[in-house]
Amino acid sequence: YQRRVHGLSQKYDISKFGLVYASAQKNAGPAGLTIAIIREDLVGNAMKFTPTLLNYQTQIKAKKKKKKKKKK
């Protein structure tokens, strides 16, 4: 289900969703601004064929690793 709205101008109860993905780009593809909000219980359950870009566990691990480097 895809709904095009002005997402930042309306209130939504995001607790009703497992994944909220929003992007704004000039052309096709996830270039520009991308926001992904994923429920914690869904992280780490990607299938083997899931592209790295859509495997949010990969993104979270990279961010945690970056934070550890900054603390040193």
Side-chain angles (χ1 to χ4, degrees):
Y1 176 69
Q2 185 179 16
R3 181 178 177 196
R4 294 176 186 216
V5 296
H6 299 286
L8 298 176
S9 66
Q10 298 179 12
K11 291 183 179 183
Y12 292 95
D13 180 6
I14 62 170
S15 67
K16 295 179 181 180
F17 304 96
L19 173 68
V20 176
Y21 182 88
S23 65
Q25 61 271 348
K26 184 176 178 182
N27 298 313
L33 173 70
T34 303
I35 299 170
I37 303 170
I38 185 167
R39 209 173 54 219
E40 285 185 44
D41 63 312
L42 297 177
V43 174
N45 296 315
M47 296 180 180
K48 290 184 180 183
F49 58 83
T50 302
T52 304
L53 177 68
L54 299 175
N55 184 349
Y56 295 104
Q57 180 64 38
T58 305
Q59 309 298 327
I60 291 168
K61 282 182 182 178
K63 189 169 185 169
K64 286 181 180 179
K65 190 174 182 180
K66 191 175 180 180
K67 280 185 178 182
K68 283 184 180 181
K69 281 187 175 182
K70 283 187 176 183
K71 287 183 179 181
K72 288 183 180 180

